[in-house]
């Protein structure tokens, strides 16, 4: 169980770290995230900007808690992560019900609209955080250094996959091959089926008329 808990901590830490940095670092990233929060229609206008600023700050603090070696601190980080992810999932529900095309901005630059994929992702991560918190009691078993390192690597790899998944899906969705059309100026249209082609007699009569 120790490796599972370490893997989940690394996964959530990577996700929250990337999410907070993506919203705070970069030109107009925080403003774009605030516009997405406003588009959900859940908050009054005066509260949108403070909430948009508080979310990445809390995400960054939780990523730090999850990385702490003290059990009390990273256990608290797992519970905070569960709460955050459930709040995010609840915030997506109105967008799904009303069909709103609100950009995710979950990791700062993504323009993929909020939908069932993001809802499922947040619920799965929340379930993983809650499960890890449930089995991380004082009597939980521990593993050696190699097992812990492998669990951290697996968690970080999964975290990177979660971060880039939306962008990868949108990339493959927008790079479908287009139909190739011959637009050369010397290309003549093919004769229609059933159309009569001029025979030799027609050519001779046109030549006599021209003479």
């Amino acid at each position: 169980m120790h490796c599972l808990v370490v893997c989940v901590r690394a996964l959530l830490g990577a996700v929250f770290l990337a999410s907070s940095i993506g919203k705070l670092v970069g030109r107009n990233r925080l403003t774009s995230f605030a516009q997405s929060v406003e588009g959900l229609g859940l908050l009054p206008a005066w509260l949108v900007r403070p909430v948009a600023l508080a979310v990445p700050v809390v995400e960054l603090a939780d990523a730090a808690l999850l990385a702490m070696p003290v059990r009390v601190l990273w256990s608290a980080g797992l519970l905070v992560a569960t709460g955050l992810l459930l709040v995010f999932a609840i915030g997506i529900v109105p967008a799904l019900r009303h069909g709103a095309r609100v950009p995710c901005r979950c990791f700062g630059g993504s323009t993929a609209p909020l939908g069932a994929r993001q809802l499922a992702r947040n619920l799965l991560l929340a379930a993983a955080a809650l499960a890890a918190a449930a089995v991380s009691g004082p009597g939980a078993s521990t593993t050696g250094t190699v097992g812990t390192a492998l669990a951290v690597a697996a968690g970080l790899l999964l975290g990177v996959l979660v971060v880039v998944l939306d962008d990868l899906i949108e990339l493959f969705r927008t790079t479908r091959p287009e139909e190739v059309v011959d637009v050369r100026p010397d290309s003549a249209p093919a004769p229609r089926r059933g159309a009569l082609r001029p025979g030799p007699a027609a050519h001779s009569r046109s030549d006599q008329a021209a003479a």
Side-chain angles (χ1 to χ4, degrees):
M1 288 298 181
H2 174 74
C3 286
L4 175 63
V5 173
V6 171
C7 181
V8 172
R9 286 169 55 197
L11 163 63
L12 295 173
V15 169
F16 283 132
L17 182 62
S19 180
S20 61
I21 292 177
K23 295 182 182 76
L24 294 174
V25 178
R27 187 176 183 181
N28 298 327
R29 289 288 183 88
L30 187 60
T31 301
S32 298
F33 177 63
Q35 292 172 350
S36 295
V37 173
E38 184 179 13
L40 294 174
L42 300 175
L43 299 173
W46 63 270
L47 198 55
V48 168
R49 187 75 180 183
V51 169
L53 179 59
V55 167
V57 172
V58 174
E59 288 176 332
L60 186 61
D62 194 49
L65 282 176
L66 291 167
M68 292 294 176
V70 182
R71 183 186 299 274
V72 175
L73 295 179
W74 57 255
S75 295
L78 289 172
L79 295 177
V80 172
T82 303
L84 271 177
L85 291 163
L86 289 178
V87 169
F88 295 161
I90 292 171
I92 295 174
V93 173
L96 289 175
R97 290 180 59 187
H98 301 299
R101 301 284 294 178
V102 180
C104 176
R105 307 292 185 191
C106 305
F107 300 104
S110 176
T111 58
L114 288 169
R117 187 170 65 246
Q118 289 77 20
L119 177 61
R121 178 189 66 200
N122 289 335
L123 290 177
L124 288 174
L125 290 176
L130 188 59
V135 300
S136 61
S141 61
T142 59
T143 57
T145 304
V146 176
T148 300
L150 290 175
V152 170
L156 292 177
L157 183 61
L158 288 173
V160 171
L161 179 61
V162 169
V163 171
V164 303
L165 183 60
D166 283 344
D167 291 333
L168 287 176
I169 292 175
E170 291 301 314
L171 176 64
F172 284 108
R173 181 176 295 174
T174 56
T175 54
R176 296 174 180 173
E178 299 292 337
E179 182 181 358
V180 178
V181 180
D182 190 359
V183 293
R184 292 177 297 175
D186 58 344
S187 60
R192 293 177 297 174
R193 173 178 287 184
L196 296 177
R197 298 185 179 180
H203 284 295
S204 63
R205 285 197 299 269
S206 61
D207 293 341
Q208 292 174 2

